[in-house]
Amino acid sequence: MIDVQDLIDFFLLRDPNVRWVVLGIMLMSAASAVVGVFAYLRKRALVGDAVSHAILPGVCVAFLVTGIKNPWILLGGAFLSGYFSLWCINLISKHSRIKPDTAIALILSVFYGVGILLLTSIQNSGNANQSGLDKFLFGKAAALVYDDVLVFSFFGVLLILVVMLLFIPFKVMAFDRDFAQSSGLPVNALDTVLSVMTVLAITIGIQTVGVVLMAALLITPAASARYWTHNLRIMVILAAAIGAFSGILGAFVSYEWAKMPTGPWVVTFLSLIAVVSVLFGTHKGVWAKLRQLHRNRLKMLEENILKCFYHLGEQDHSFTIARSLEEIQEKRLFELRQLKKGLKRLTRKKLLLLHADKYALTDQGMEEGKRVTRIHRLWELYLTKHLHLASDHVHEDAEAIEHIITPEIERELEVHLNFPRTDPHQTPIPYK
């Protein structure tokens, strides 16, 4: 059970140790997430994983050269190693037949393997100063102190400020690199800035979750935010919020249960948020897609029913006659349950009127049926005239496309075909 007093003390940050841990994780998680958005949009998510693993040999070499465990020296070595790994990935990709994903895997495994060898050698050397170097593997978030928070604050604010200042160029380059280059933007320089920011974010962040899990801190918030919005500015803010929130939750678990590691729990909460986003995200989530699919099917059903009514009206030269279920199904075969559902929805929308057990078009319903019929026949004519398809092969294509043609495309079809009077079957095309 969670103690209520512990909960209050934690979120009020009364304990100085808790304060530094929470603030440090929040700042670094938010900054990493902001930088990670652009790595994610540029389809360079795996680069973050490679760089985070490639940082380990830099830490070990920095310790072997200096013999001291000064955090600035170790982070300097980590940054140089991470940037060198990124340079190697780009070099291999550009000047060999090895594909980028293979180059990333190659650099990750080689650098990480060298790092583990160096770390093992240091641990067996008997040097008393080496204690704690292994924390770079899995992080030491629960042991952050005031000096660590100062470092996190400086670099976190720096990363966020650079993103704010260069937001528009970064945005253009992330979505269309060729356009950015043709517009005169210094694409190579921007690439270098983003690479430095990515390596810097990873270098600082490894103290939170370690080299093994750092890629999750960089990419998962961005991937989660993408399921909730198409607006890049909102996506950046949302990714930062997700990163900071996960950091708080991970720190709380570690605070409440002392033996629980903070870094892995931060990543666990990030993963849970990612799963929720994939399932329920309003823009790209599974639930949103299923709802849109359901709406599309209902729209197609309703439009097919209205088109059927319009065809019956053309056949009888009257659009006001009420039709029974049998008449509708005789004209076009609908599944009975779906037909009843569609008729009920159209009646509720005032596109059909119910008379006893029969249905009749309203004026609005007749116009909608006429619109669908017009689009169907225009598209059939377009396929026969411009794609040279046989007139008896165009009906199914027109059935599929008529439900997604916008008013703008409809007007273009009319103008392009010079307002034809009949379709390929010599049936009149009804205009407004």
Side-chain angles (χ1 to χ4, degrees):
M1 290 289 292
I2 296 174
D3 188 283
V4 176
Q5 188 58 47
D6 285 348
L7 191 66
I8 294 171
D9 290 343
F10 176 84
F11 283 101
L12 290 179
L13 304 179
R14 288 173 177 169
D15 187 333
N17 293 328
V18 173
R19 189 180 307 142
W20 305 136
V21 170
V22 172
L23 292 177
I25 292 175
M26 281 180 61
L27 282 168
M28 205 56 247
S29 298
S32 298
V34 168
V35 175
V37 167
F38 295 97
Y40 172 81
L41 292 175
R42 295 163 69 210
K43 296 180 173 57
R44 304 192 73 182
L46 286 177
V47 170
D49 199 21
V51 172
S52 64
H53 284 74
I55 273 173
L56 186 58
V59 174
C60 296
V61 169
F63 177 79
L64 287 170
V65 170
T66 62
I68 58 175
K69 210 171 58 179
N70 184 300
W72 286 99
I73 293 175
L74 296 182
L75 291 178
F79 177 82
L80 292 175
S81 178
Y83 194 80
F84 180 63
S85 71
L86 199 58
W87 180 80
C88 289
I89 290 171
N90 292 330
L91 185 70
I92 292 170
S93 301
K94 288 180 180 177
H95 301 286
S96 73
R97 293 185 177 182
I98 296 176
K99 294 182 179 179
D101 57 341
T102 308
I104 290 170
L106 184 65
I107 294 300
L108 185 153
S109 56
V110 169
F111 273 68
Y112 189 57
V114 171
I116 293 295
L117 286 174
L118 291 174
L119 185 61
T120 304
S121 175
I122 291 170
Q123 288 176 332
N124 294 330
S125 66
N127 188 333
N129 287 334
Q130 61 85 25
S131 176
L133 278 181
D134 60 325
K135 297 297 183 184
F136 281 93
L137 282 175
F138 301 107
K140 56 165 189 173
L144 295 178
V145 294
Y146 176 71
D147 290 340
D148 294 323
V149 176
L150 285 181
V151 174
F152 284 3
S153 301
F154 175 77
F155 285 108
V157 171
L158 178 64
L159 291 172
I160 292 171
L161 282 176
V162 172
V163 169
M164 290 173 63
L165 289 171
L166 298 176
F167 181 79
I168 299 300
F170 284 168
K171 177 181 178 180
V172 175
M173 196 173 71
F175 288 106
D176 196 334
R177 185 184 176 89
D178 292 335
F179 175 76
Q181 200 158 16
S182 64
S183 299
L185 288 175
V187 172
N188 292 331
L190 290 170
D191 248 338
T192 302
V193 172
L194 275 173
S195 298
V196 170
M197 290 173 64
T198 302
V199 175
L200 191 58
I202 294 170
T203 301
I204 306 302
I206 56 173
Q207 293 192 80
T208 308
V209 296
V211 300
V212 176
L213 300 174
M214 186 56 211
L217 198 64
L218 190 74
I219 298 301
T220 308
S224 301
R226 187 68 181 88
Y227 282 90
W228 297 97
T229 181
H230 292 315
N231 186 305
L232 181 57
R233 199 177 298 274
I234 295 174
M235 182 181 171
V236 169
I237 295 170
L238 193 56
I242 290 171
F245 182 64
S246 300
I248 294 173
L249 293 179
F252 177 72
V253 170
S254 183
Y255 170 79
E256 188 67 21
W257 294 280
K259 293 184 178 180
M260 290 291 184
T262 306
W265 272 104
V266 172
V267 175
T268 298
F269 284 114
L270 278 174
S271 302
L272 289 174
I273 292 172
V275 170
V276 171
S277 300
V278 169
L279 293 176
F280 303 107
T282 53
H283 281 75
K284 295 180 70 179
V286 173
W287 178 246
K289 287 182 178 179
L290 289 175
R291 285 181 61 198
Q292 186 60 50
L293 182 62
H294 180 65
R295 284 196 293 265
N296 290 342
R297 285 174 175 169
L298 288 176
K299 178 176 180 285
M300 291 172 65
L301 174 65
E302 292 171 6
E303 290 183 349
N304 285 335
I305 292 173
L306 290 174
K307 186 173 67 172
C308 180
F309 269 86
Y310 190 83
H311 289 172
L312 286 167
E314 285 183 317
Q315 177 183 298
D316 297 337
H317 305 291
S318 174
F319 296 98
T320 58
I321 300 173
R323 310 288 179 179
S324 65
L325 292 177
E326 291 76 16
E327 286 180 89
I328 299 169
Q329 288 200 299
E330 186 179 337
K331 183 65 178 176
R332 177 171 180 149
L333 186 60
F334 289 99
E335 198 270 321
L336 185 58
R337 186 176 62 84
Q338 288 293 326
L339 176 59
K340 288 181 177 179
K341 182 179 181 179
L343 291 170
K344 187 176 180 180
R345 288 176 60 86
L346 290 168
T347 303
R348 197 161 56 241
K349 291 180 178 181
K350 298 185 174 14
L351 296 174
L352 292 178
L353 290 175
L354 177 60
H355 298 290
D357 291 330
K358 296 184 176 183
Y359 297 85
L361 285 169
T362 63
D363 290 341
Q364 186 181 353
M366 187 186 72
E367 288 302 319
E368 184 63 15
K370 180 190 291 186
R371 182 190 67 83
V372 181
T373 302
R374 177 171 60 254
I375 292 172
H376 180 99
R377 292 173 182 172
L378 284 169
W379 191 254
E380 283 189 333
L381 189 60
Y382 178 82
L383 292 177
T384 55
K385 288 186 71 173
H386 295 279
L387 297 184
H388 308 293
L389 298 180
S391 60
D392 57 347
H393 283 65
V394 295
H395 178 75
E396 294 299 327
D397 287 328
E399 279 283 308
I401 203 73
E402 66 192 25
H403 304 288
I404 60 173
I405 286 184
T406 62
E408 293 78 16
I409 297 176
E410 180 189 345
R411 283 194 293 273
E412 285 189 28
L413 275 173
E414 290 174 345
V415 172
H416 189 70
L417 295 170
N418 197 24
F419 295 92
R421 306 311 305 173
T422 59
D423 69 2
H425 313 289
Q426 301 308 308
T427 308
I429 297 176
Y431 289 95
K432 296 179 183 178

